[in-house]
Amino acid sequence: MPAESSVPLRIRHSDKRRKLLKYFNSGTINVIFARRERQNYYFFQHFPTFREMNRKLLSISALLFATAITSLAQWDRDVFMMRGRQALFDGKYSQAIENFNVLSRLDSSDHRTFYFRGIAKYDLGDIRGAQRDFSTSVRLNPLFTEGYRVRALSYIRTGDYKQALGDLQRAISLRPGMNSLFFTRGLTFYFAKRHDEAIADFDYFLMREPQEASAYVYRADCKLALGDTLAAFSDYNKAIETDRFYPEGYVHRGALYSSTGENEKALEDINKAISLDPASTYYYFQRGLINAGLHRFKDAISDLGEVLESDPGNALTLYNRSLMYAQVQEFDKALQDMDRVINVNPRNVLAYFNRAGFFLEMGRWEDAIDDYDSAIELYPDFAKAYMNRSYAKSRLGRKKESKKDYETARQKVREYEEKNAAVAGTYADTTRTYSSFIAFDADFARKDFNNELLQHRDVDIRLKPLFRFQISGEELSQESNILAQGYDNPLINRFVRAVPLSITLTDKEATDSPRLEGSLDFLLSGDSSSGAGTASPVSPAHAAFLHGIYEVQNKQYSQALQWFNKAVSLSESSPGKDPYEALYRAFYLMNRSVLRSEMTDIIASIESSAGTLVLDESGTARTQASQNRTRVFDRSEAISDMEQAAAILPDIPHIWFNLGNLYCLSSQMVNALRNYDKAISLYPAMAEAYFNRGLVLVYLKDQEKGCIDLSKAGELGIEDAYSVIDRYCRKDKL
């Protein structure tokens, strides 16, 4: 169990209390930090504060937009800049990135484009992507003070305090009168544990901005870190006197009261904070811990229930509520919560240990032994787990095994006592209580989050699917295709135009059966509703292929495979009059390959071991099968078809992408990477290839490269990427 930890936290504040943002250059990004002495606990609070941008800036931009339409290109830039900034203002960060992507292609020399896009990425948790954009903004405009400041904030998030301080020093040299720079540098010094220098910067800031409550709070945090409790109390009190509507002052002071055992005063402060900001799940969580400290477990359980209403999968809250249920002897509910914790993080040692304790209380000795086995497997020196397992085995009459576990536990304890100073906190210490309420790895959600903000949604982490041709009534206009960097290939365009119905190359699975005007045979033969027939506009092979994709969308997979077989056979034996028919054969093979792979998935799902790339909460990816199986299903036929397609048309990126997926699902990760590389080299804007390659790289534990790829995928329009980044690429648990 870590001695200290930190969590990202988003808290909604009313507009009335946003005046502090004036110190941060129109409030583009504000970084707030606080210290929880009671749990030796830190958290990082990041406001998505672009929406608090001074409305005068928007008015000026609107005026410029109305008067600067001197050319179509200029008008386009203004439109996308306004759309992007408005999306930022509304918290629609993925939408903002889409607009700034277009701007970056229309004009790659405007530093503002990369600055604003970096803000959107920052607020989505994509710190690496934000750093790259902020670096581009200051490269394009070396005098851009705000660019250095926000890049410094991104360096703080990754723990690179030296780089952050360098950027802040550069910004201060450019604008020494910008007070917010000293505030930010104070925070940087604080996280670098240079508390005296942090206090000096906060002192300097407060001399010029004495009405800023947050600065008193953070200066108090520094004093608390230096052990000056009285001075910390004084600053917390000053923060509350300065702004009685600022909840963080009460929360920090309440945490300090709690650490000194004054829980009633702590409860009074946290209640005040909740009254000021009832949407903050973190405040309820804190109150739950305080109520637990007062042995008011039912109240504590109610508070944690408030958190779980907003964030049902919050493992930290479930863990603590489970322990509280155990305190009131509701072991069935305690087990339900701890089961969910283990499901989220199957490597949580304490979760297994405490669940085993519940089983002991319930007399379920075998279940307890299984959980102690898991805890010991994860941490072989866990003396108390050996001791408790010894007791459980003795209750089952397994005396010899019980004695062996007891002796092992005593040996671990002796080793612990011999080097106690070096290993303080080890699980070998049998005097410690491992059922304490803890606070780490929390990711609190807001109760009022907007469902339109895709980055807040839970997203299944799985490979982006295979590309195939299917019947569709949707067509992408040429203009939108260009703006979206859509893929354009003359051969594919000719193939699509050669049939009397709309087909498209897509990775989206059709949800409905295709709707045709008349039968497919009539359409392919040129028959109209009047029954007047014409010569067939498509070759027999092409017609068989269309029958195949029609049957796929009707879920008639065996019939579809027969049609694809026929298409491949006809294209090889009798190519017909169309000179392109030999090339079209690659498309027939591609669709047959996809169908064969999907039929394999159906078989696998029946056996509960469908192969998808899955990442666990520790950042480890794996090819998911059932809990106790590692079987990889044979996709050799699908791979063979796709390789033949690649040999015929080596310049189609979707074919190489599909090969990457097939190799990945066959657990051939190196080959998968090689094919994703090829797809990206042919189509540098292929977001799906970046996304899947990123997942594979994380699977191979190349975290840095994998997260860069996921960042690129998000930039290119895959909203799901930000959920993955937020869960697996944020090492900045400040």
Side-chain angles (χ1 to χ4, degrees), residues 500 516-537:
L516 305 178
E517 297 180 3
S519 72
L520 180 60
D521 285 326
F522 281 178
L523 288 172
L524 295 179
S525 66
D527 273 329
S528 66
S529 58
S530 64
T534 61
S536 174

Side-chain angles (χ1 to χ4, degrees), residues 459-497:
V459 180
D460 286 337
I461 300 170
R462 56 185 72 238
L463 294 173
K464 293 303 171 187
L466 299 161
F467 282 88
R468 85 294 303 273
F469 285 96
Q470 69 182 23
I471 299 172
S472 170
E474 299 178 0
E475 294 184 3
L476 186 67
S477 71
Q478 185 68 14
E479 178 184 0
S480 62
N481 192 45
I482 292 172
L483 293 177
Q485 284 189 299
Y487 182 74
D488 189 63
N489 182 280
L491 183 65
I492 293 177
N493 293 340
R494 189 181 190 283
F495 181 73
V496 167
R497 289 195 302 266

Side-chain angles (χ1 to χ4, degrees), residues 647-663:
I648 297 170
L649 291 177
D651 62 338
I652 302 295
H654 306 80
I655 294 175
W656 297 104
F657 171 87
N658 285 353
L659 263 177
N661 273 24
L662 293 173
Y663 277 122

Side-chain angles (χ1 to χ4, degrees), residues 379-427:
Y379 194 86
D381 290 329
F382 201 165
K384 202 159 190 174
Y386 285 103
M387 190 73 71
N388 289 7
R389 189 173 69 177
S390 170
Y391 171 75
K393 288 179 177 178
S394 71
R395 295 303 301 265
L396 291 172
R398 294 155 61 175
K399 302 298 184 181
K400 186 176 181 180
E401 294 178 38
S402 175
K403 182 180 179 181
K404 182 179 179 181
D405 272 350
Y406 179 80
E407 291 174 349
T408 300
R410 294 306 306 161
Q411 177 63 30
K412 300 292 183 185
V413 171
R414 285 192 293 271
E415 293 173 357
Y416 167 76
E417 290 172 345
E418 289 173 2
K419 50 183 180 180
N420 183 33
V423 294
T426 179
Y427 291 145

